Every structure is written in C-alpha cells, then in structure tokens.
Amino acid sequence: MDNTNLERISSLKNTKEIIKRYGFSFKKSLGQNFLIDQNILEKIVNAAELDQNKGALEIGPGIGALTQSLAQSAGKVTAIELDQRLIPILNDLLQPYDNVEVIHGDVLKLDLNSMIKEQFKDQVEISVVANLPYYVTTPIIMALLEKQLPIENIVVMIQKEVAERMVASPGGKDYGSLSIAVQYYCEPEMVLTVPNTVFIPQPNVDSAVIRLKRRKKPIVQVEDSVFFFKVVQASFGHRRKTIINNLISNLFTKDDKQELISILQSCDIDPSRRGETLSIEEYARLSNVLLRL
C-alpha cells in the first residue's frame, strides 16, 4: 500500500483537530511540544539517512507527526512513548502503516539492547530519530551513547543551547564536559536551527536539530573511560578556576598538588590553564597518566 499521499498529521489544522477529537491535554511535566511543520520533519528524516533496509527508533512520538514521515522512509519504525494517554491515539492514527510499532515505556528504564535486537532483526542499520522532551535531553542522549547500542545516527530536535554545547570547540563559552562526552563517542553536526513558532504549544526557547554520527571507536584511546570522564568533570567543576585547582577541589587533595603540577607539565599542559581550553586529546593524555597517581 502506498502511504505517501495520506493526510499529514503535522499540519496545524490536523494537529488541532486530533487534540480536540481525542480530548488530549498537554502535560507540562512531560515537556510535550508537537511539531507542526512538515518541511522541518522532512529535514529531520533526511538527516537520518534512512532507507528500506534501515530502522528508526523514535523517542517521544507525541501524536505521530514525525513517526508518519519515518514510516515512509524506513523499513521499520519503533516509537517509545511514556504518556499512556497517547498510546491509543498513536495506534489509531498510525494504523495505515504496517511497519510501525508503538511501545509504552520509559526509554531510560527499558533494556534497549534487547529491544533493538527484537524490533530490528531485519534491518542492517538503526538510527534514533526524535523530537526529545527538553527536560531529559542529556540523560537520554548519554544513555544511548554509554550503553554501546548498535546505532548509526542519532538525529534529534533539542534545545538550541544544548546543541551548541555538543558541537562546541575548546576555548569557547559553550565548551564543557558535555561537548567532550558527545564528541568522544560521535561526530556531532548541527543540521538546522528551529524557531519556537513551529510547535504546539510553543516552548520558551529556540530549538535545533543535531546529528550525532556514531564513531566506530572513540576519538581518543583511554585506559579507563570511567576515570577519563571523572577527570573531565572535575576539570570543569568551576569554570573560573584553573585546572590544577579544579583537580585538587574535585578529584584529589592539596597533598597531591606538587605531583599534579609535575604530571600536568609532563603532559605539556600549563597548570594555570582553565579546563575549557583543553582539547579532548589533552584530556585523554592527562587521564592516562593520572590513573597511575
């Protein structure tokens, strides 16, 4: 069946009509903002580089506007929705698409590895594509990255400010531990910025679509990734402090000061530099030496 000419869920008229028909009310606590711009939806789907041999995992489908576009591009779409009230609406509106499955659950609590194996056994690659609730953006993205899931791309609509932090380079105000965590696992790329006028209800912030292309292996080699991220987080503890003072305050003690200075100098890092000036390669070099302290 050709579903490409079915009426678009995403139009303002249809979105309002669906909300009214099902008596749906938005829950602010769930960060629900529905996209009503088909052009932006298509750009999101295109950025995921899908085809009939690939699968799409969607998080927070809402009433299914993005799901509908994904269903026309991917071989299989699995949408995870936390709000039980939306499940019957999604099942009803997406009924024409036999390649879509809706799952009720919390993406942060589900066994995603098992679910992906079960849901996408016939697909060669899987991408996560979503308009994420802004209040849980970072926990969701970090969970997707840290669980070593078999994901090719993560293409998500998130708060613009958070997207800018993910793509930031050393030395800028946006560069921090989140930049390093994302860039360790992925090649991040800003796809487009999005005004708040294309949502119902309108959020108070501008948004951006970002693509995180999963690396085959991390960008740097570290002996202990858990310790590496501890060093990174400690170094950004207080942005105005030097790296030596942050390391003493957040990970070591004053008794370690002289040894820490020697280690930093041996890694060609001036102890008076601030954490936001260090590259991910410098953090890798530093953490590998600090591990032996």
Side-chain angles (χ1 to χ4, degrees):
M1 179 180 175
D2 183 6
N3 294 309
T4 54
N5 294 320
L6 288 174
E7 201 169 3
R8 290 290 178 189
I9 293 169
S10 59
S11 75
L12 176 59
K13 175 178 167 288
N14 288 344
T15 299
K16 284 184 172 179
E17 193 275 322
I18 288 164
I19 290 166
K20 185 178 178 183
R21 188 199 322 163
Y22 292 96
F24 180 78
S25 56
F26 291 93
K27 272 191 182 174
K28 199 171 181 182
S29 63
L30 294 177
Q32 292 170 327
N33 304 95
F34 297 166
L35 259 170
I36 52 168
D37 187 306
Q38 187 59 33
N39 182 45
I40 288 171
L41 287 168
E42 285 170 9
K43 286 180 179 177
I44 294 170
V45 174
N46 290 340
E49 301 171 331
L50 299 167
D51 61 42
Q52 290 303 304
N53 295 312
K54 296 182 178 183
L57 176 64
E58 186 183 7
I59 300 162
I63 57 172
L66 177 57
T67 325
Q68 184 181 45
S69 293
L70 290 170
Q72 294 168 354
S73 298
K76 170 76 187 285
V77 181
T78 299
I80 302 169
E81 178 53 58
L82 178 61
D83 190 346
Q84 175 70 58
R85 301 171 305 153
L86 286 166
I87 303 301
I89 302 174
L90 284 162
N91 286 332
D92 198 3
L93 295 174
L94 298 169
Q95 198 229 343
Y97 302 93
D98 57 9
N99 61 339
V100 174
E101 185 160 344
V102 178
I103 293 173
H104 175 238
D106 183 342
V107 70
L108 293 172
K109 294 177 182 174
L110 290 172
D111 180 349
L112 290 177
N113 262 307
S114 298
M115 194 206 74
I116 285 171
K117 280 177 190 169
E118 182 187 326
Q119 291 287 319
F120 299 104
K121 51 182 177 287
D122 298 325
Q123 280 67 49
V124 295
E125 297 281 1
I126 304 124
S127 289
V128 172
V129 192
N131 172 21
L132 288 180
Y134 294 169
Y135 75 104
V136 284
T137 293
T138 302
I140 288 174
I141 288 177
M142 291 316 301
L144 293 171
L145 297 178
E146 290 168 355
K147 287 178 181 176
Q148 301 293 309
L149 302 172
I151 292 170
E152 181 184 19
N153 292 307
I154 298 173
V155 180
V156 285
M157 173 89 73
I158 59 176
Q159 191 173 331
K160 184 176 174 233
E161 184 183 304
V162 178
E164 286 169 343
R165 285 163 56 201
M166 289 181 181
V167 301
S169 302
K173 65 179 177 60
D174 296 320
Y175 183 72
S177 55
L178 179 62
S179 320
I180 292 172
V182 167
Q183 291 169 31
Y184 177 81
Y185 294 108
C186 302
E187 296 174 49
E189 178 192 350
M190 195 82 84
V191 177
L192 71 154
T193 55
V194 182
N196 65 354
T197 51
V198 299
F199 297 92
I200 289 182
Q202 292 184 8
N204 296 323
V205 295
D206 283 337
S207 307
V209 177
I210 191 169
R211 175 170 60 196
L212 308 176
K213 197 169 187 67
R214 189 70 190 243
R215 300 182 192 277
K216 296 272 190 281
K217 60 179 184 179
I219 191 173
V220 288
Q221 198 169 1
V222 296
E223 292 174 30
D224 183 329
S225 61
V226 173
F227 183 71
F228 167 74
F229 286 116
K230 279 185 181 176
V231 170
V232 169
Q233 285 170 344
S235 302
F236 285 96
H238 298 278
R239 289 188 75 91
R240 293 184 181 180
K241 279 189 176 182
T242 60
I243 187 162
I244 182 69
N245 287 336
N246 264 326
L247 288 172
I248 289 168
S249 300
N250 303 311
L251 197 58
F252 297 96
T253 68
K254 287 182 179 176
D255 295 337
D256 300 311
K257 184 171 183 178
Q258 285 311 312
E259 196 164 358
L260 284 171
I261 289 172
S262 298
I263 287 172
L264 285 161
Q265 288 171 338
S266 74
C267 294
D268 294 324
I269 298 168
D270 186 330
S272 66
R273 284 172 65 185
R274 290 179 178 171
E276 61 264 32
T277 68
L278 271 69
S279 68
I280 193 167
E281 292 79 12
E282 287 176 308
Y283 275 114
R285 198 161 65 237
L286 178 60
S287 75
N288 286 339
V289 179
L290 286 175
L291 191 59
R292 303 185 193 103
L293 184 58

